[in-house]
Amino acid sequence: MSILKDLLLVNKSTLKKTLKLFMSNWIIVFTGFVYTLLNIALMIVMNVIFRIPIIRFFSGIVSFIATSAMISNYLYLLSQIIRYGKVTLQDFKEGFTVYLWKIYGVLFIGWAASFLFDRIIAPLIYSINLSLAGTISFIISFLVLVLVNALPESIYQKHYSAWDTVTYAFNFVKENWIEWFVPNIIMLGLFYLVTGNVIKDVLAISSGFFFNFSIKGILLYVIGQIMFSFIMIYRGILFDVLSTSTRRKRAFMQHLYK
């Protein structure tokens, strides 16, 4: 099967399934509002509690755990939608802990890599060329966004440790980069054209999209949440198809993707 035919076949099937699942699980759109409120509440609590110098040291750990819990919650809801076709209030209650420590481990790996770069590599670059450091930092961030782009889906669809999850996401992108990025670039391009927002972080799930209190700002926020939810369901279905089949297998079983 040609690449173009495979792309059309897989994405036609994925779009059909996504529309069906999104229409029956539209409630997931409102999770963005919940995470935004939880983030605001967390910032208020941390500003009050961690003013005390002795316990300020633990603020980073608490923030990491809280962020991991919200990402876990959203990924669990996606998992339930893709696996069972529906989500319940009970799923929302349970979701904060399901992938908590796996996500904490993934975030820690990212933090450790960033720490090493800032403390060891960046000073060396600064000493050579100050402007070059910013360029290299941008390139590294872009490469991370590309090379482990399927990290959210790898977390909730594959049962691996934190490190193995990161390496699996990398290998998945390496093996399926055409089939994965063509629809993703189109969707993210549309997302940017409509909302003006760029998704720069593969785990920017729990942050929501902050808005200004104008009619236009609120409207764009709502549209952004709808589009983001649709994109994440689409990605989940697409990942499931690509990670459990090859182009040859899909050509042999193409009647299943119609």
Side-chain angles (χ1 to χ4, degrees), residues 43-95:
M43 286 188 289
I44 293 173
V45 171
M46 290 183 67
N47 285 335
V48 173
I49 296 177
F50 294 108
R51 285 179 179 177
I52 304 172
I54 297 177
I55 62 174
R56 190 176 298 163
F57 171 79
F58 298 98
S59 62
I61 298 175
V62 172
S63 179
F64 251 50
I65 293 175
T67 300
S68 299
M70 283 185 275
I71 295 174
S72 171
N73 182 271
Y74 191 76
L75 293 185
Y76 184 64
L77 296 181
L78 288 174
S79 174
Q80 295 301 96
I81 289 173
I82 292 166
R83 186 179 302 173
Y84 303 111
K86 63 178 182 179
V87 289
T88 65
L89 180 59
Q90 187 61 32
D91 293 328
F92 182 80
K93 293 177 180 178
E94 295 175 353

Side-chain angles (χ1 to χ4, degrees), residues 114-245:
S114 178
F115 180 83
L116 290 174
F117 176 80
D118 292 338
R119 296 301 178 90
I120 299 175
I121 300 175
L124 294 175
I125 299 172
Y126 286 142
S127 64
I128 299 172
N129 190 318
L130 187 61
S131 61
L132 184 62
T135 302
I136 292 178
S137 179
F138 171 80
I139 292 173
I140 291 175
S141 298
F142 178 76
L143 287 175
V144 169
L145 178 64
V146 171
L147 296 178
V148 292
N149 191 269
L151 189 55
E153 292 73 25
S154 299
I155 289 173
Y156 74 84
Q157 292 194 31
K158 302 298 177 182
H159 303 289
Y160 298 133
S161 65
W163 176 252
D164 288 339
T165 298
V166 175
T167 57
Y168 181 88
F170 171 78
N171 288 324
F172 171 84
V173 169
K174 184 177 66 174
E175 294 171 5
N176 301 279
W177 65 274
I178 296 177
E179 295 91 339
W180 182 251
F181 282 117
V182 168
N184 268 280
I185 290 172
I186 292 172
M187 290 188 295
L188 293 179
L190 290 173
F191 184 84
Y192 172 74
L193 290 174
V194 174
T195 68
N197 286 308
V198 178
I199 301 174
K200 302 177 181 178
D201 188 345
V202 291
L203 288 178
I205 293 166
S206 64
S207 59
F209 305 101
F210 290 98
F211 58 91
N212 57 68
F213 290 92
S214 64
I215 295 176
K216 181 181 178 181
I218 295 173
L219 182 61
L220 285 176
Y221 180 87
V222 173
I223 293 173
Q225 292 296 334
I226 293 172
M227 292 185 70
F228 183 77
S229 300
F230 184 89
I231 289 170
M232 292 306 294
I233 294 174
Y234 194 104
R235 282 170 54 107
I237 297 170
L238 181 62
F239 180 89
D240 181 51
V241 172
L242 297 178
S243 65
T244 57
S245 65

Side-chain angles (χ1 to χ4, degrees), residues 27-39 74 92 205-209 221 225 228-229:
I27 194 71
I28 195 174
V29 171
F30 295 98
T31 56
F33 296 91
V34 176
Y35 301 140
T36 298
L37 293 175
L38 288 175
N39 271 305
Y74 191 76
F92 182 80
I205 293 166
S206 64
S207 59
F209 305 101
Y221 180 87
Q225 292 296 334
F228 183 77
S229 300

